[in-house]
Amino acid sequence: MQRLSYRSGRFGERLSIGSEHVKYASHSRTCGAIATAVGNDGLTDSRKVPTEGGKLGSAISTDATREVSSSGHRSLRLPRTSGGTAMRHYFLLTSASVAALTLSHAAFAQQSLPTIDVGRARVDRNASSDQGDGSGHAPEQGAGQTSSSSEASAQEREKTSYRRETATTATKMNTPIMDTPVSIQVVPQQVILDQQATTLARAVDNVSGVRSFDASYVGGNDRFQIRGFDTNFVYVDGLRIQNALPGTSSLINVDRVEVLKGPAAILYGRADPGGIVNIVTKKPLAYRQTSVSQAFGSYGFYRTTLDTTGPMTKDETILYRVTAEADLDHTFRETDYYRNYFISPVVQWNISNATQITVNLQYSHQAIPFDAGQIAYTRYNPLSAFFGEGPVAFLPRGRTFNEANSSSRVDYLKFGYNWSHNINNDWTLTNRFEGLQYEDHSFLVVPTGFNAQNPTLLNRSAIANNDARHSVTTNLDLTGKFDMLGVGHTVLIGGDYLLDRSFNSFFGFSRFPQSAVNYNFPVYTFAPTYNWLYKNSNAGLTALARQQWLGFYVQDQMRLPYNFFLLAGARYDRAVSNSNPFDGKGERLANNSQRVTPRVGLLWRPIEVFSVYGSYTENFGAAGGRAGPAAQQQILPSQTATQWEVGAKTELFDKRLTGTLALYDLRKTNIAVPDPDPVRASQGYRIINGEVRNRGIELDVSGEILPGWRIIGGYSYIYSVVTKDSGVIRDPLGTTVSVNGFQGFTPPDVSRHMGSVFTTYEMQDGDLKGLKFGGGVNGRTKAYGDSLNSFHVPSYAIFNLMASYAWNFSGYKLTGQMNVDNLADTRYYPSGFRGPLQVSVGAPRTIKAQLRVDF
């Protein structure tokens, strides 16, 4: 095979086949060519090549085949046959001229090649796809455009894979995972489909060191624990759009979920130190494709979805994609129900060969149960002597202590755009913007404690609450590549801005105390209207909160000699938050912080399939808030964090399987704790002295072991401890437990060991081709349910199965699928961190069936 290569020089361009070169002069009006090889089956590859002008062109050949190296570099090889010399014809086409090139090589067979009538060169200017980086940045160097048919084939291969070679969240650029000196894991779309995952929580359970909290409990929001630290931030295509709001993320418009572990403040501003979860959404495609599905299952579960995309114009300059879903679930809980209606239209306009803009819109209406969960006995409860310290296991799993209409009704509208312009072949300018309009109306009945006269009764309170939020976030990034002194540089320079305003009209507790409920035999009788609640609630807190930050960052990925890769960067942040309780005293400043956070990482890839790395990162975290009595309040600094990490990455089974091993030491500092002086502590004074240290080991694998045999999974070990604290801690009986706060205690809901594995096998040929079956297990060891470590939720392991069959019928692809979650009907408790009155309960055995039609 002979290699076809392209090189641009100072005096023109050159096409090469093996040792044969043909030089052609640049057309004075040409500034961007595309070298395209055409094989017997049509267009097989294309790539951008640098020229002087601005038009597009193509170099066309026959019998060329494509090769893609592990680094993503694309090359073309021509077949070598025995004997003789043959003429090979190449045509360079631009919008201004057509030039014919004729090459000869002694190794080519004696044959007459037919003339290829290509007419006007056709260029697919669709730069986005389901596999795009989601950040609006240009594709990685060497990647180019393809025809619709070739793009569809590549998309299908990528879509069914459990492994991705690149990710964007760690560097804001499409960087090979093997070359990235941090731990970054990806949950591809096919995993979501095979598991019939409907929540973001279910998707991230496939990543080591990540715990999700069931969105069915206490307001139903996306909340995670990464490397032992909680986070309720959700990022979409690299921008933060959600923070502890009731409402969950839909997965119908999700291409993949990326999880960056460890501090991420350098690129994303104020964030929690454990890491971030970033959703990469589906993009419009240049070919028509539609998928419709209907699912149903246990406990009145129904889900209908639509995903359709294609060009809106014949020249494919305008593309669209529409995703929608409708969910209904009565759940296994006695008084809970769930509704979700979601739609997201996206339009992409390829303004020119260098410029594109994508406009997106999302609307969702949700009804989410406000379920407090079940109860647990602590070591201080006398009944724990009979039933143990932990959840009350003799209660039915469906038992609830709220009322039938205890729920949040959420409406949110998200809108934004993604604009990018290729300044030239090396530099790209990107601007993204997202806006969010959000409202929720909540009514909740929650247990407040055990009844003093009867320990089988729970006292309860009813609360009404309204919340509205308006936020905007935007960024501007300049990315580029250049070589200097033998070192390759990939540079990111950017800035971002966030403004978030929330109005909380909290109507307070009901004037009519709720009757205590017997948790053994509850009777649900309270069903007020919202008007009744507003008229019969005590005056509560009505407040306006505002936060904004401005950040600037710079990052350089350097390719050094001997396969070393250096990642270095820094960020400056200025963050201000204000609150106004509408008490007539005006707006109050809650926090005003600024900080520079660095990151540095070094990776060595001695061989193609193995790399080792080490990194150091710092974090700029949540606002420290205020301390002291109202008349003398002081502003506390923001929380910070540092992390050291070392690890190794490998590609196995002919690079079909990727594995990552990481060891880390992560410390969260500047945590506000009570003043050591008991008198000052009683007056509200706090100091910045708290620290929590998490050390751990993580292993992640994803990909294909054999053709058709796919796997994703991971294991994590976390040792978490409060290393610094202050204050006197007393138990519910009044006994002093500690004079150093919670120092030495384990933070709630952190399991020492966690792991998951999910694997499938798809028949590749024969009569059973299209049949897929698989399963997996997800488990964790016990975790404490409160800071006092007075009770724990027990260890558990749940097993899941799936089977599907795909077949073609009259031009349609049909797929029938069935999933069984919690096959052994194990009783388990995913979380208890909200305390002994709010322990979440895992779902019993659940069956889901689905029929999907693709065309």
Side-chain angles (χ1 to χ4, degrees):
M1 304 290 286
Q2 297 297 300
R3 183 182 297 274
L4 170 65
S5 63
Y6 177 89
R7 177 176 297 178
S8 175
R10 180 178 179 184
F11 302 104
E13 289 81 22
R14 174 175 292 177
L15 283 174
S16 304
I17 298 183
S19 60
E20 302 293 331
H21 306 289
V22 171
K23 182 178 179 181
Y24 61 92
S26 299
H27 193 280
S28 60
R29 297 178 57 189
T30 302
C31 80
I34 290 187
T36 306
V38 179
N40 292 330
D41 57 349
L43 196 64
T44 60
D45 191 20
S46 62
R47 51 186 292 219
K48 282 188 176 180
V49 292
T51 56
E52 294 179 356
K55 306 293 182 180
L56 291 174
S58 301
I60 301 177
S61 169
T62 60
D63 302 330
T65 59
R66 179 175 63 179
E67 288 188 351
V68 182
S69 70
S70 61
S71 63
H73 175 73
R74 301 169 188 258
S75 62
L76 300 172
R77 289 182 179 269
L78 300 177
R80 180 192 298 272
T81 56
S82 60
T85 300
M87 307 299 291
R88 297 291 281 177
H89 303 278
Y90 289 81
F91 301 92
L92 176 69
L93 291 87
T94 71
S95 58
S97 62
V98 176
L101 310 177
T102 304
L103 303 182
S104 64
H105 195 285
F108 289 152
Q110 295 279 1
Q111 56 179 324
S112 177
L113 298 179
T115 301
I116 305 174
D117 184 10
V118 295
R120 180 178 176 85
R122 177 185 178 279
V123 178
D124 182 0
R125 293 180 293 179
N126 175 35
S128 297
S129 69
D130 278 357
Q131 283 67 44
D133 62 11
S135 64
H137 299 132
E140 196 175 7
Q141 189 175 12
Q145 323 295 335
T146 63
S147 71
S148 296
S149 59
S150 297
E151 182 185 1
S153 178
Q155 296 283 347
E156 185 64 25
R157 289 192 301 270
E158 188 75 25
K159 181 180 177 181
T160 59
S161 176
Y162 277 21
R163 170 185 177 268
R164 285 193 60 90
E165 295 184 5
T166 62
T168 63
T169 305
T171 63
K172 279 198 172 182
M173 289 179 283
N174 207 23
T175 305
I177 294 175
M178 289 289 293
D179 295 342
T180 307
V182 295
S183 181
I184 173 74
Q185 305 301 324
V186 182
V187 182
Q189 183 183 161
Q190 188 61 47
V191 175
I192 296 173
L193 292 174
D194 287 346
Q195 295 179 347
Q196 282 203 68
T198 59
T199 64
L200 189 57
R202 180 70 180 90
V204 300
D205 279 344
N206 295 284
V207 180
S208 72
V210 180
R211 282 203 54 250
S212 61
F213 300 98
D214 194 331
S216 299
Y217 294 93
V218 192
N221 56 0
D222 291 321
R223 185 185 180 100
F224 314 98
Q225 183 191 89
I226 308 175
R227 289 188 169 176
F229 290 114
D230 292 350
T231 180
N232 45 37
F233 297 125
V234 176
Y235 295 77
V236 176
D237 293 330
L239 292 180
R240 197 187 86 175
I241 56 95
Q242 191 166 324
N243 176 22
L245 299 173
T248 58
S249 301
S250 173
L251 294 187
I252 184 59
N253 69 327
V254 174
D255 174 64
R256 64 186 184 272
V257 178
E258 297 187 354
V259 180
L260 172 61
K261 302 179 185 179
I266 180 176
L267 296 181
Y268 300 99
R270 177 172 281 175
D272 295 306
I276 68 170
V277 176
N278 181 37
I279 295 173
V280 180
T281 58
K282 298 175 181 177
K283 305 300 183 294
L285 304 178
Y287 56 89
R288 298 195 182 281
Q289 175 180 284
T290 298
S291 178
V292 180
S293 73
Q294 178 63 59
F296 55 92
S298 305
Y299 309 106
F301 169 80
Y302 297 92
R303 184 176 188 243
T304 306
T305 67
L306 168 69
D307 181 1
T308 182
T309 184
M312 299 179 67
T313 58
K314 291 184 177 180
D315 61 357
E316 300 174 358
T317 56
I318 301 180
L319 313 175
Y320 75 92
R321 189 157 199 160
V322 178
T323 52
E325 73 169 312
D327 297 349
L328 169 64
D329 190 0
H330 287 284
T331 82
F332 68 99
R333 304 281 285 162
E334 289 173 336
T335 59
D336 291 358
Y337 67 93
Y338 174 78
R339 305 282 192 281
N340 176 40
Y341 303 101
F342 172 89
I343 186 169
S344 176
V346 181
V347 176
Q348 177 178 306
W349 179 23
N350 296 306
I351 302 172
S352 70
N353 298 310
T355 307
Q356 68 88 26
I357 185 170
T358 302
V359 180
N360 70 84
L361 182 71
Q362 289 185 19
Y363 171 74
S364 176
H365 171 77
Q366 299 181 11
I368 305 168
F370 213 105
D371 188 346
Q374 290 196 348
I375 58 176
Y377 294 140
T378 70
R379 69 168 64 105
Y380 307 108
N381 190 314
L383 293 177
S384 65
F386 302 96
F387 301 103
E389 300 172 9
V392 181
F394 59 78
L395 293 177
R397 281 179 283 191
R399 180 62 42 82
T400 60
F401 309 121
N402 55 322
E403 294 289 335
N405 60 346
S406 181
S407 65
S408 294
R409 288 171 171 82
V410 175
D411 290 275
Y412 81 80
L413 177 68
K414 188 175 79 70
F415 49 91
Y417 67 81
N418 181 345
W419 173 88
S420 66
H421 174 70
N422 295 328
I423 301 172
N424 55 35
N425 291 294
D426 295 320
W427 292 89
T428 299
L429 187 65
T430 302
N431 172 228
R432 296 196 68 249
F433 169 87
E434 294 288 350
L436 177 69
Q437 302 284 342
Y438 170 93
E439 290 186 5
D440 83 81
H441 308 274
S442 300
F443 162 65
L444 54 150
V445 176
V446 295
T448 57
F450 291 95
N451 189 280
Q453 286 72 37
N454 187 344
T456 65
L457 295 181
L458 287 175
N459 297 326
R460 302 184 301 163
S461 292
I463 304 173
N465 181 52
N466 273 1
D467 186 61
R469 176 163 293 185
H470 312 284
S471 65
V472 294
T473 179
T474 185
N475 71 348
L476 181 66
D477 290 337
L478 176 66
T479 59
K481 297 184 178 183
F482 62 91
D483 293 337
M484 179 180 293
L485 302 177
V487 177
H489 297 264
T490 302
V491 177
L492 166 68
I493 303 172
D496 52 31
Y497 173 78
L498 179 142
L499 173 63
D500 184 278
R501 296 171 62 89
S502 63
F503 175 75
N504 181 269
S505 51
F506 179 41
F507 290 91
F509 291 89
S510 170
R511 293 187 185 134
F512 301 92
Q514 290 302 292
S515 60
V517 64
N518 187 313
Y519 56 76
N520 290 308
F521 307 102
V523 178
Y524 310 111
T525 59
F526 188 60
T529 64
Y530 279 99
N531 288 333
W532 185 94
L533 286 169
Y534 298 157
K535 293 178 181 178
N536 294 278
S537 293
N538 294 311
L541 175 65
T542 301
L544 174 68
R546 176 170 59 89
Q547 63 171 320
Q548 58 182 331
W549 77 57
L550 180 66
F552 301 96
Y553 46 89
V554 60
Q555 174 186 269
D556 190 5
Q557 301 178 67
M558 290 166 274
R559 186 183 183 100
L560 307 174
Y562 305 106
N563 294 319
F564 281 93
F565 297 82
L566 178 64
L567 174 65
R571 176 188 176 101
Y572 167 78
D573 271 297
R574 173 71 181 271
V576 179
S577 59
N578 305 77
S579 65
N580 181 2
F582 291 152
D583 57 2
K585 297 181 180 180
E587 189 175 75
R588 297 177 181 176
L589 181 66
N591 183 268
N592 186 349
S593 301
Q594 55 185 335
R595 184 176 174 85
V596 175
T597 51
R599 175 171 73 170
V600 61
L602 181 65
L603 180 143
W604 181 41
R605 194 171 180 177
I607 58 176
E608 187 71 14
V609 297
F610 180 76
S611 59
V612 293
Y613 70 91
S615 65
Y616 171 78
T617 53
E618 295 185 4
N619 196 68
F620 180 55
R626 296 178 299 224
Q632 305 175 26
Q633 284 192 337
Q634 301 174 341
I635 300 172
L636 298 177
S638 296
Q639 296 176 359
T640 59
T642 58
Q643 176 183 271
W644 292 92
E645 179 178 340
V646 295
K649 304 182 180 185
T650 187
E651 294 176 320
L652 304 173
F653 303 110
D654 198 22
K655 300 183 180 180
R656 295 190 303 266
L657 185 76
T658 299
T660 301
L661 177 67
L663 294 83
Y664 63 88
D665 183 305
L666 175 58
R667 299 174 185 240
K668 184 177 182 179
T669 53
N670 272 17
I671 301 174
V673 298
D675 193 290
D677 185 339
V679 176
R680 288 176 57 84
S682 65
Q683 297 173 350
Y685 284 101
R686 298 185 298 168
I687 62 174
I688 299 298
N689 188 45
E691 178 184 276
V692 177
R693 183 191 68 208
N694 292 347
R695 290 175 174 170
I697 302 173
E698 296 170 340
L699 174 66
D700 287 274
V701 295
S702 61
E704 193 174 50
I705 300 175
L706 295 171
W709 184 8
R710 303 182 183 98
I711 188 172
I712 186 171
Y715 162 80
S716 70
Y717 167 86
I718 303 176
Y719 179 71
S720 181
V721 63
V722 178
T723 51
K724 293 182 180 179
D725 200 358
S726 64
V728 177
I729 304 299
R730 293 182 175 89
D731 63 26
L733 304 179
T735 304
T736 299
V737 176
S738 171
V739 295
N740 293 314
F742 294 106
Q743 183 171 318
F745 287 70
T746 300
D749 240 19
V750 179
S751 292
R752 189 70 59 91
H753 303 273
M754 295 191 299
S756 69
V757 63
F758 183 79
T759 182
T760 61
Y761 181 75
E762 183 174 4
M763 305 297 292
Q764 301 296 293
D765 49 34
D767 295 337
L768 296 179
K769 183 178 181 180
L771 176 64
K772 179 189 295 185
F773 53 89
V777 59
N778 189 310
R780 54 175 285 195
T781 55
K782 71 175 184 179
Y784 289 111
D786 60 0
S787 298
L788 196 57
N789 296 172
S790 65
F791 78 100
H792 66 268
V793 291
S795 306
Y796 68 84
I798 55 175
F799 297 86
N800 309 311
L801 291 180
M802 70 82 60
S804 69
Y805 182 70
W807 71 99
N808 294 318
F809 178 77
S810 298
Y812 296 87
K813 180 182 178 182
L814 284 76
T815 303
Q817 181 172 327
M818 178 173 289
N819 290 71
V820 181
D821 295 335
N822 194 2
L823 178 68
D825 201 24
T826 301
R827 187 184 183 108
Y828 68 102
Y829 301 89
S831 172
F833 78 102
R834 293 184 176 94
L837 299 178
Q838 297 184 9
V839 178
S840 60
V841 187
R845 182 188 299 113
T846 303
I847 300 175
K848 294 180 182 179
Q850 176 184 263
L851 178 64
R852 188 174 69 249
V853 181
D854 298 287
F855 55 93

